[in-house]
Amino acid sequence: MPHPGILIVGASQAGAQVATSLRERGSTAPVTLVGAEPHLPYQRPPLSKAFLADKATEDSLLLRSAEYYRSNDIDVVTDEWVADVVLDRDGSGTAVTRSGRTFDFGRLALTTGGTPRRLSIPGADLDGVLYLRDLDDAVRLRGALKAARNVVVVGGGFIGLEAAAVARASGKEVVVVEALDRLLARAVAPVMSDFCLAAHQRRGSRILLERGVISFEGKGTSVTSVALSDGTSVPADLVLVGIGLVPRTEIAERIGLRCEAGIVIDAYGRTSNPDVVAAGDCTDLDAGDGRLVRIESVANAIAQARAAAATLAGSPTPLGAVPWFWSDQADVKLQIAGLSAGHDSVVVRGEPASESFSVLYFREGEVVAVNAVNAPRDYMLVKRILDTGGSLPMDRAGDVDTPLKDLVVRVA
Ligand SMILES: Cc1cc2nc3c(=O)[nH]c(=O)nc-3n(C[C@H](O)[C@H](O)[C@H](O)COP(=O)(O)OP(=O)(O)OC[C@H]3O[C@@H](n4cnc5c(N)ncnc54)[C@H](O)[C@@H]3O)c2cc1C
């Protein structure tokens, strides 16, 4: 008899969702969710927003209560790092943790997320040089922020900019150092990058583009300044490095799954071994046309986890959801729906300086994505088009005198 249980490695957004979706689908299989962190699964987005600003408690971050897992017969094992997995031909196997606990399973789900990309430059191990991925990082950063005067954020991505906004709002001197020639360069069009630059500058942060970080200088064991590639240096008693994520693929590699940057999965959450599923930030989705897509977001983790659970429950259902994302930077709420990669035109609707506008991305005349700044209606409308069908005439989409909803053609 094969082992009846499902083992989920990685107890966060995707892992908790696999477990929840299994129960929602009526699966009665024993489910064990093993995670390395000492906490029940919690939300990460507030870590660089409300939690960092001291406006959210640890308890408020929890995705589900302990009672939820108990009453749904989901065994959550915290503080256990899965160090090795042996997989049999039928997809069953055994996982062993660093502390020596073993877990037999009939099917395996990998939801191992990622770890911050680290800088290995002189001074990188000085006190005050921090990263932000998990709750313990956020507690450390929040404490350090209270005592800091000069904060340097390395990396002009979402997490860095959100943290910079919190630091600035609490009265710190903030410098953001970005190696590329614009902020959020991998995610948004230049017009949106320019807007973010201006919005942060208006609030008093200094943004240094096209500058690399050469070293961190210190006094004793503490960081005191950051040396830049242009020969200048900026004072710092706190540095947050936010230069991206490295997907955790160690276990997947050990059991011979195809990994590129992340664990390669299909639209059903299946890895290169169809008995093993994966979901969330640890994956690269094979889009079917030769492209590998990795989206590090809550919505993606949930959608992929649902697809993986459907596969485990024996009723494979492909991922259908349109990607969406949000970022809060001071009172700027940026909402993103769709994938702008491959767009050939951009229409700006509204005036960026007003801090309420949207950028619509088109490919061959069809809207494929929106970035909305304090413009929730534009966001909702484009998301609905992407979810349910419809189109927007590109030549009129920028006309702010006409509500976007009046321009939509054929919403199904
Ligand atoms: C500061 C911050 C702000 C963010 N803001 C937003 C936002 O505004 N909007 C948005 O959509 N997304 C945001 N994200 C991204 C979002 O949180 C992630 O996309 C999401 O958490 C991915 O979930 P996951 O379960 O795939 O991975 P993770 O959340 O990384 O979880 C993976 C878990 O697996 C555990 N693990 C890994 N390997 C092992 C092992 N071998 N054994 C045991 N456990 C293991 C890890 O400890 C971790 O707990 C933010 C992320 C951060 C860090």
Side-chain angles (χ1 to χ4, degrees), residues 9-15 34-37 44-45 47-49 80-83 111-114 132-133 159 162 248 251 279-282 296-299 301 324-327:
V9 180
S12 180
Q13 192 80 53
V34 185
E37 294 185 63
R44 291 184 204 276
L47 300 182
S48 50
K49 308 177 182 75
E80 286 285 351
W81 179 266
V82 174
T111 51
T112 46
L132 177 55
R133 179 68 191 173
I159 290 175
E162 289 176 356
R248 282 204 183 275
I251 294 174
D281 282 11
C282 63
E296 294 156 14
S297 77
V298 166
W324 56 271
F325 186 83
W326 74 97
S327 176

Side-chain angles (χ1 to χ4, degrees), residues 50-67:
F51 186 80
L52 189 58
D54 231 343
K55 293 179 181 155
T57 61
E58 289 190 21
D59 282 353
S60 71
L61 304 181
L62 290 184
L63 286 166
R64 305 271 186 179
S65 64
E67 174 51 27

Side-chain angles (χ1 to χ4, degrees), residues 17 85 311 315 342:
Q17 187 65 47
V85 170
T311 296
S315 45

Side-chain angles (χ1 to χ4, degrees), residues 219-231:
K219 193 168 158 202
T221 58
S222 301
V223 70
T224 51
S225 65
V226 181
L228 304 179
S229 54
D230 61 1

Side-chain angles (χ1 to χ4, degrees), residues 271-287:
T271 65
S272 57
N273 178 338
D275 286 329
V276 180
V277 296
D281 282 11
C282 63
T283 69
D284 281 338
L285 173 69
D286 184 345

Side-chain angles (χ1 to χ4, degrees), residues 137-155:
D137 294 337
V139 168
R140 240 183 326 269
L141 180 65
R142 193 169 69 173
L145 190 56
K146 284 189 180 130
R149 267 185 61 185
N150 294 299
V151 178
V152 173
V153 174
V154 181

